[in-house]
Amino acid sequence: LRWRSRRGVAYGAAFTLAAALAFTSKESALTLPLLVALVLCFRLGVRAGLRAAAPWIALTSLPVAGYLALRHHAVGQLVLADHRNAILENPLLGVAPLQRAALGVALLGRYLELCFAPSTLRPDYSYAEIVPTLSDPRLIAELVATLAAAAAVPFLLRQSGVPRAAGFALLWFLAAFALTANVALPIGTVFGERLAYLPSVGPCLLLAAGAAALPSGPVRAFAVGALVVAFA
């Protein structure tokens, strides 16, 4: 993109405005700089992608600063400081940081599971639904599955076609959860489908890549129809 051109200025202004609207709509959007870098590195290679992403990431600095100022004005803090009133909504607030991070990684496996098999959704995930202990066999299995998926990403990205798309989908999923998975920092909610809207773009792209790789138009149409019926 030629930033000195009129078109480049228009793209930059539109991007900055869209970023500001996204940040003030949902905190998950704060991962936008990371996702921009991810997309460009995937398409151009790491070095060229990072160079291409730098100006776009710089454009998000002003909206991020504005969002943080608005958040501090509204709630009086940037990160969750008082755990006493939030522990029923997020039982991970009552455990040690390392255990909280491990449980957060495990719950990423549950998010991924629900993306592909959303058959056990709940209106609320709080203290009664998520037991904050690694003695839960399901949480242990989800932790192992998440770590195995993350470890497979470098191998998948060296492939082509659907395997490479799977690597990108997993990276997108993990990157989009960077702030809301209770791994890096605690938030006010332990788990919720509303936090998975942006990360679920990754699994959706993977399903689309799989359908696009099918050999003929009628087969692809049948596969897409079957997906729609199954998820409905």
Side-chain angles (χ1 to χ4, degrees), residues 118-150:
S119 59
T120 56
L121 304 180
R122 301 283 189 269
D124 177 64
Y125 296 84
S126 56
Y127 199 90
E129 182 69 25
I130 304 293
V131 180
T133 173
L134 285 175
S135 62
D136 184 346
R138 182 181 180 184
L139 282 173
I140 294 175
E142 290 164 347
L143 175 62
V144 172
T146 305
L147 293 176

mmCIF file of all heavy atoms in Angstrom, residues 118-150:
data_model
loop_
_atom_site.group_PDB
_atom_site.id
_atom_site.type_symbol
_atom_site.label_atom_id
_atom_site.label_comp_id
_atom_site.label_asym_id
_atom_site.label_seq_id
_atom_site.Cartn_x
_atom_site.Cartn_y
_atom_site.Cartn_z
ATOM 1 N N PRO A 118 -21.106 -27.753 18.877
ATOM 2 C CA PRO A 118 -21.795 -26.903 19.856
ATOM 3 C C PRO A 118 -23.080 -27.538 20.374
ATOM 4 O O PRO A 118 -24.180 -26.998 20.232
ATOM 5 C CB PRO A 118 -22.085 -25.630 19.048
ATOM 6 C CG PRO A 118 -22.259 -26.125 17.648
ATOM 7 C CD PRO A 118 -21.289 -27.270 17.501
ATOM 8 N N SER A 119 -22.947 -28.704 21.010
ATOM 9 C CA SER A 119 -24.127 -29.456 21.430
ATOM 10 C C SER A 119 -24.419 -29.329 22.918
ATOM 11 O O SER A 119 -25.457 -29.811 23.375
ATOM 12 C CB SER A 119 -23.941 -30.938 21.081
ATOM 13 O OG SER A 119 -22.790 -31.447 21.735
ATOM 14 N N THR A 120 -23.530 -28.707 23.684
ATOM 15 C CA THR A 120 -23.736 -28.617 25.142
ATOM 16 C C THR A 120 -23.555 -27.178 25.607
ATOM 17 O O THR A 120 -22.843 -26.906 26.565
ATOM 18 C CB THR A 120 -22.757 -29.533 25.892
ATOM 19 O OG1 THR A 120 -21.414 -29.194 25.498
ATOM 20 C CG2 THR A 120 -23.000 -30.987 25.581
ATOM 21 N N LEU A 121 -24.191 -26.236 24.930
ATOM 22 C CA LEU A 121 -24.058 -24.828 25.287
ATOM 23 C C LEU A 121 -24.846 -24.535 26.562
ATOM 24 O O LEU A 121 -25.834 -25.184 26.873
ATOM 25 C CB LEU A 121 -24.550 -23.949 24.143
ATOM 26 C CG LEU A 121 -23.879 -24.178 22.784
ATOM 27 C CD1 LEU A 121 -24.457 -23.238 21.744
ATOM 28 C CD2 LEU A 121 -22.378 -23.997 22.888
ATOM 29 N N ARG A 122 -24.386 -23.534 27.299
ATOM 30 C CA ARG A 122 -25.017 -23.146 28.558
ATOM 31 C C ARG A 122 -25.337 -21.649 28.524
ATOM 32 O O ARG A 122 -24.598 -20.875 27.916
ATOM 33 C CB ARG A 122 -24.084 -23.422 29.729
ATOM 34 C CG ARG A 122 -23.648 -24.877 29.878
ATOM 35 C CD ARG A 122 -24.761 -25.720 30.488
ATOM 36 N NE ARG A 122 -24.273 -27.050 30.816
ATOM 37 C CZ ARG A 122 -24.334 -28.083 29.989
ATOM 38 N NH1 ARG A 122 -24.823 -27.935 28.776
ATOM 39 N NH2 ARG A 122 -23.891 -29.268 30.362
ATOM 40 N N PRO A 123 -26.413 -21.236 29.225
ATOM 41 C CA PRO A 123 -26.679 -19.803 29.309
ATOM 42 C C PRO A 123 -25.652 -19.076 30.168
ATOM 43 O O PRO A 123 -25.453 -17.878 30.017
ATOM 44 C CB PRO A 123 -28.077 -19.732 29.927
ATOM 45 C CG PRO A 123 -28.216 -21.016 30.672
ATOM 46 C CD PRO A 123 -27.455 -22.038 29.898
ATOM 47 N N ASP A 124 -24.988 -19.799 31.053
ATOM 48 C CA ASP A 124 -24.008 -19.163 31.937
ATOM 49 C C ASP A 124 -22.918 -20.169 32.286
ATOM 50 O O ASP A 124 -23.192 -21.333 32.540
ATOM 51 C CB ASP A 124 -24.678 -18.674 33.220
ATOM 52 C CG ASP A 124 -23.674 -18.083 34.192
ATOM 53 O OD1 ASP A 124 -23.063 -17.063 33.850
ATOM 54 O OD2 ASP A 124 -23.482 -18.657 35.287
ATOM 55 N N TYR A 125 -21.676 -19.704 32.263
ATOM 56 C CA TYR A 125 -20.543 -20.508 32.716
ATOM 57 C C TYR A 125 -19.912 -19.743 33.880
ATOM 58 O O TYR A 125 -19.228 -18.748 33.677
ATOM 59 C CB TYR A 125 -19.509 -20.680 31.601
ATOM 60 C CG TYR A 125 -20.002 -21.446 30.397
ATOM 61 C CD1 TYR A 125 -20.714 -20.803 29.397
ATOM 62 C CD2 TYR A 125 -19.755 -22.810 30.261
ATOM 63 C CE1 TYR A 125 -21.167 -21.487 28.289
ATOM 64 C CE2 TYR A 125 -20.206 -23.501 29.150
ATOM 65 C CZ TYR A 125 -20.912 -22.839 28.168
ATOM 66 O OH TYR A 125 -21.358 -23.531 27.062
ATOM 67 N N SER A 126 -20.167 -20.200 35.072
ATOM 68 C CA SER A 126 -19.611 -19.509 36.235
ATOM 69 C C SER A 126 -19.140 -20.552 37.233
ATOM 70 O O SER A 126 -18.707 -21.646 36.853
ATOM 71 C CB SER A 126 -20.650 -18.556 36.842
ATOM 72 O OG SER A 126 -21.840 -19.259 37.161
ATOM 73 N N TYR A 127 -19.234 -20.247 38.525
ATOM 74 C CA TYR A 127 -18.627 -21.119 39.529
ATOM 75 C C TYR A 127 -19.225 -22.524 39.516
ATOM 76 O O TYR A 127 -18.522 -23.512 39.708
ATOM 77 C CB TYR A 127 -18.779 -20.506 40.915
ATOM 78 C CG TYR A 127 -17.817 -21.090 41.914
ATOM 79 C CD1 TYR A 127 -16.557 -20.519 42.091
ATOM 80 C CD2 TYR A 127 -18.146 -22.223 42.643
ATOM 81 C CE1 TYR A 127 -15.648 -21.056 42.981
ATOM 82 C CE2 TYR A 127 -17.241 -22.765 43.540
ATOM 83 C CZ TYR A 127 -15.994 -22.186 43.705
ATOM 84 O OH TYR A 127 -15.105 -22.731 44.581
ATOM 85 N N ALA A 128 -20.534 -22.625 39.292
ATOM 86 C CA ALA A 128 -21.187 -23.936 39.328
ATOM 87 C C ALA A 128 -20.882 -24.779 38.089
ATOM 88 O O ALA A 128 -21.055 -25.992 38.104
ATOM 89 C CB ALA A 128 -22.700 -23.768 39.475
ATOM 90 N N GLU A 129 -20.416 -24.143 37.001
ATOM 91 C CA GLU A 129 -20.215 -24.853 35.735
ATOM 92 C C GLU A 129 -18.751 -25.218 35.501
ATOM 93 O O GLU A 129 -18.447 -26.288 34.972
ATOM 94 C CB GLU A 129 -20.716 -23.973 34.586
ATOM 95 C CG GLU A 129 -20.596 -24.614 33.219
ATOM 96 C CD GLU A 129 -21.540 -25.787 33.030
ATOM 97 O OE1 GLU A 129 -22.575 -25.833 33.719
ATOM 98 O OE2 GLU A 129 -21.237 -26.647 32.199
ATOM 99 N N ILE A 130 -17.820 -24.336 35.868
ATOM 100 C CA ILE A 130 -16.392 -24.568 35.659
ATOM 101 C C ILE A 130 -15.730 -24.790 37.014
ATOM 102 O O ILE A 130 -15.670 -23.891 37.842
ATOM 103 C CB ILE A 130 -15.727 -23.363 34.956
ATOM 104 C CG1 ILE A 130 -16.440 -23.067 33.636
ATOM 105 C CG2 ILE A 130 -14.247 -23.621 34.736
ATOM 106 C CD1 ILE A 130 -16.289 -24.136 32.584
ATOM 107 N N VAL A 131 -15.267 -26.007 37.257
ATOM 108 C CA VAL A 131 -14.605 -26.329 38.528
ATOM 109 C C VAL A 131 -13.112 -26.015 38.384
ATOM 110 O O VAL A 131 -12.426 -26.620 37.552
ATOM 111 C CB VAL A 131 -14.800 -27.810 38.903
ATOM 112 C CG1 VAL A 131 -14.113 -28.123 40.223
ATOM 113 C CG2 VAL A 131 -16.284 -28.138 38.971
ATOM 114 N N PRO A 132 -12.589 -25.064 39.173
ATOM 115 C CA PRO A 132 -11.199 -24.625 38.975
ATOM 116 C C PRO A 132 -10.169 -25.564 39.588
ATOM 117 O O PRO A 132 -9.507 -25.249 40.566
ATOM 118 C CB PRO A 132 -11.186 -23.258 39.664
ATOM 119 C CG PRO A 132 -12.183 -23.394 40.761
ATOM 120 C CD PRO A 132 -13.260 -24.299 40.243
ATOM 121 N N THR A 133 -10.030 -26.756 39.013
ATOM 122 C CA THR A 133 -9.028 -27.695 39.495
ATOM 123 C C THR A 133 -8.558 -28.583 38.356
ATOM 124 O O THR A 133 -9.353 -28.984 37.495
ATOM 125 C CB THR A 133 -9.591 -28.565 40.638
ATOM 126 O OG1 THR A 133 -8.643 -29.582 40.961
ATOM 127 C CG2 THR A 133 -10.904 -29.215 40.240
ATOM 128 N N LEU A 134 -7.267 -28.877 38.348
ATOM 129 C CA LEU A 134 -6.713 -29.756 37.319
ATOM 130 C C LEU A 134 -6.912 -31.229 37.650
ATOM 131 O O LEU A 134 -6.388 -32.089 36.956
ATOM 132 C CB LEU A 134 -5.225 -29.452 37.134
ATOM 133 C CG LEU A 134 -4.927 -28.156 36.361
ATOM 134 C CD1 LEU A 134 -3.437 -27.884 36.340
ATOM 135 C CD2 LEU A 134 -5.466 -28.225 34.938
ATOM 136 N N SER A 135 -7.650 -31.520 38.713
ATOM 137 C CA SER A 135 -7.984 -32.919 38.996
ATOM 138 C C SER A 135 -9.191 -33.383 38.178
ATOM 139 O O SER A 135 -9.516 -34.567 38.166
ATOM 140 C CB SER A 135 -8.283 -33.099 40.494
ATOM 141 O OG SER A 135 -9.402 -32.318 40.879
ATOM 142 N N ASP A 136 -9.828 -32.460 37.488
ATOM 143 C CA ASP A 136 -10.954 -32.789 36.613
ATOM 144 C C ASP A 136 -10.409 -33.465 35.352
ATOM 145 O O ASP A 136 -9.663 -32.852 34.590
ATOM 146 C CB ASP A 136 -11.707 -31.507 36.261
ATOM 147 C CG ASP A 136 -12.954 -31.764 35.429
ATOM 148 O OD1 ASP A 136 -13.098 -32.890 34.889
ATOM 149 O OD2 ASP A 136 -13.781 -30.854 35.303
ATOM 150 N N PRO A 137 -10.768 -34.739 35.104
ATOM 151 C CA PRO A 137 -10.229 -35.443 33.922
ATOM 152 C C PRO A 137 -10.520 -34.722 32.612
ATOM 153 O O PRO A 137 -9.684 -34.723 31.701
ATOM 154 C CB PRO A 137 -10.930 -36.807 33.975
ATOM 155 C CG PRO A 137 -11.341 -36.981 35.404
ATOM 156 C CD PRO A 137 -11.643 -35.611 35.898
ATOM 157 N N ARG A 138 -11.677 -34.081 32.499
ATOM 158 C CA ARG A 138 -12.008 -33.379 31.255
ATOM 159 C C ARG A 138 -11.064 -32.202 31.046
ATOM 160 O O ARG A 138 -10.580 -31.973 29.925
ATOM 161 C CB ARG A 138 -13.453 -32.892 31.292
ATOM 162 C CG ARG A 138 -13.856 -32.186 29.999
ATOM 163 C CD ARG A 138 -15.287 -31.679 30.052
ATOM 164 N NE ARG A 138 -15.650 -30.998 28.808
ATOM 165 C CZ ARG A 138 -16.804 -30.382 28.603
ATOM 166 N NH1 ARG A 138 -17.724 -30.374 29.557
ATOM 167 N NH2 ARG A 138 -17.046 -29.786 27.444
ATOM 168 N N LEU A 139 -10.776 -31.454 32.100
ATOM 169 C CA LEU A 139 -9.870 -30.319 31.970
ATOM 170 C C LEU A 139 -8.455 -30.782 31.623
ATOM 171 O O LEU A 139 -7.764 -30.125 30.838
ATOM 172 C CB LEU A 139 -9.853 -29.504 33.270
ATOM 173 C CG LEU A 139 -11.052 -28.575 33.492
ATOM 174 C CD1 LEU A 139 -10.993 -27.958 34.879
ATOM 175 C CD2 LEU A 139 -11.098 -27.490 32.433
ATOM 176 N N ILE A 140 -8.028 -31.899 32.183
ATOM 177 C CA ILE A 140 -6.702 -32.432 31.859
ATOM 178 C C ILE A 140 -6.640 -32.812 30.380
ATOM 179 O O ILE A 140 -5.674 -32.495 29.680
ATOM 180 C CB ILE A 140 -6.371 -33.644 32.750
ATOM 181 C CG1 ILE A 140 -6.237 -33.209 34.213
ATOM 182 C CG2 ILE A 140 -5.089 -34.322 32.281
ATOM 183 C CD1 ILE A 140 -6.031 -34.353 35.171
ATOM 184 N N ALA A 141 -7.686 -33.485 29.892
ATOM 185 C CA ALA A 141 -7.721 -33.870 28.482
ATOM 186 C C ALA A 141 -7.723 -32.635 27.585
ATOM 187 O O ALA A 141 -7.045 -32.601 26.549
ATOM 188 C CB ALA A 141 -8.956 -34.729 28.211
ATOM 189 N N GLU A 142 -8.459 -31.604 27.974
ATOM 190 C CA GLU A 142 -8.507 -30.376 27.175
ATOM 191 C C GLU A 142 -7.172 -29.647 27.196
ATOM 192 O O GLU A 142 -6.752 -29.071 26.177
ATOM 193 C CB GLU A 142 -9.626 -29.473 27.706
ATOM 194 C CG GLU A 142 -11.018 -30.019 27.410
ATOM 195 C CD GLU A 142 -12.102 -29.371 28.245
ATOM 196 O OE1 GLU A 142 -11.774 -28.671 29.225
ATOM 197 O OE2 GLU A 142 -13.291 -29.554 27.922
ATOM 198 N N LEU A 143 -6.475 -29.680 28.334
ATOM 199 C CA LEU A 143 -5.152 -29.061 28.415
ATOM 200 C C LEU A 143 -4.175 -29.760 27.479
ATOM 201 O O LEU A 143 -3.449 -29.111 26.712
ATOM 202 C CB LEU A 143 -4.639 -29.120 29.858
ATOM 203 C CG LEU A 143 -3.205 -28.616 30.094
ATOM 204 C CD1 LEU A 143 -3.090 -27.145 29.732
ATOM 205 C CD2 LEU A 143 -2.794 -28.840 31.553
ATOM 206 N N VAL A 144 -4.169 -31.090 27.496
ATOM 207 C CA VAL A 144 -3.275 -31.858 26.626
ATOM 208 C C VAL A 144 -3.612 -31.603 25.160
ATOM 209 O O VAL A 144 -2.724 -31.410 24.323
ATOM 210 C CB VAL A 144 -3.365 -33.359 26.958
ATOM 211 C CG1 VAL A 144 -2.595 -34.187 25.937
ATOM 212 C CG2 VAL A 144 -2.834 -33.627 28.359
ATOM 213 N N ALA A 145 -4.902 -31.562 24.836
ATOM 214 C CA ALA A 145 -5.315 -31.349 23.444
ATOM 215 C C ALA A 145 -4.902 -29.964 22.951
ATOM 216 O O ALA A 145 -4.419 -29.818 21.822
ATOM 217 C CB ALA A 145 -6.830 -31.514 23.326
ATOM 218 N N THR A 146 -5.057 -28.940 23.786
ATOM 219 C CA THR A 146 -4.676 -27.586 23.387
ATOM 220 C C THR A 146 -3.180 -27.481 23.165
ATOM 221 O O THR A 146 -2.721 -26.895 22.172
ATOM 222 C CB THR A 146 -5.117 -26.566 24.442
ATOM 223 O OG1 THR A 146 -6.520 -26.710 24.682
ATOM 224 C CG2 THR A 146 -4.835 -25.146 23.987
ATOM 225 N N LEU A 147 -2.395 -28.040 24.084
ATOM 226 C CA LEU A 147 -0.938 -27.989 23.945
ATOM 227 C C LEU A 147 -0.480 -28.759 22.712
ATOM 228 O O LEU A 147 0.441 -28.327 22.010
ATOM 229 C CB LEU A 147 -0.279 -28.546 25.207
ATOM 230 C CG LEU A 147 -0.471 -27.716 26.486
ATOM 231 C CD1 LEU A 147 0.142 -28.429 27.681
ATOM 232 C CD2 LEU A 147 0.126 -26.324 26.321
ATOM 233 N N ALA A 148 -1.115 -29.906 22.440
ATOM 234 C CA ALA A 148 -0.752 -30.690 21.262
ATOM 235 C C ALA A 148 -1.081 -29.923 19.979
ATOM 236 O O ALA A 148 -0.297 -29.922 19.023
ATOM 237 C CB ALA A 148 -1.491 -32.029 21.278
ATOM 238 N N ALA A 149 -2.231 -29.253 19.953
ATOM 239 C CA ALA A 149 -2.612 -28.466 18.777
ATOM 240 C C ALA A 149 -1.628 -27.325 18.553
ATOM 241 O O ALA A 149 -1.198 -27.066 17.419
ATOM 242 C CB ALA A 149 -4.028 -27.927 18.942
ATOM 243 N N ALA A 150 -1.238 -26.637 19.638
ATOM 244 C CA ALA A 150 -0.280 -25.532 19.507
ATOM 245 C C ALA A 150 1.077 -26.033 19.028
ATOM 246 O O ALA A 150 1.738 -25.392 18.205
ATOM 247 C CB ALA A 150 -0.135 -24.812 20.844
#
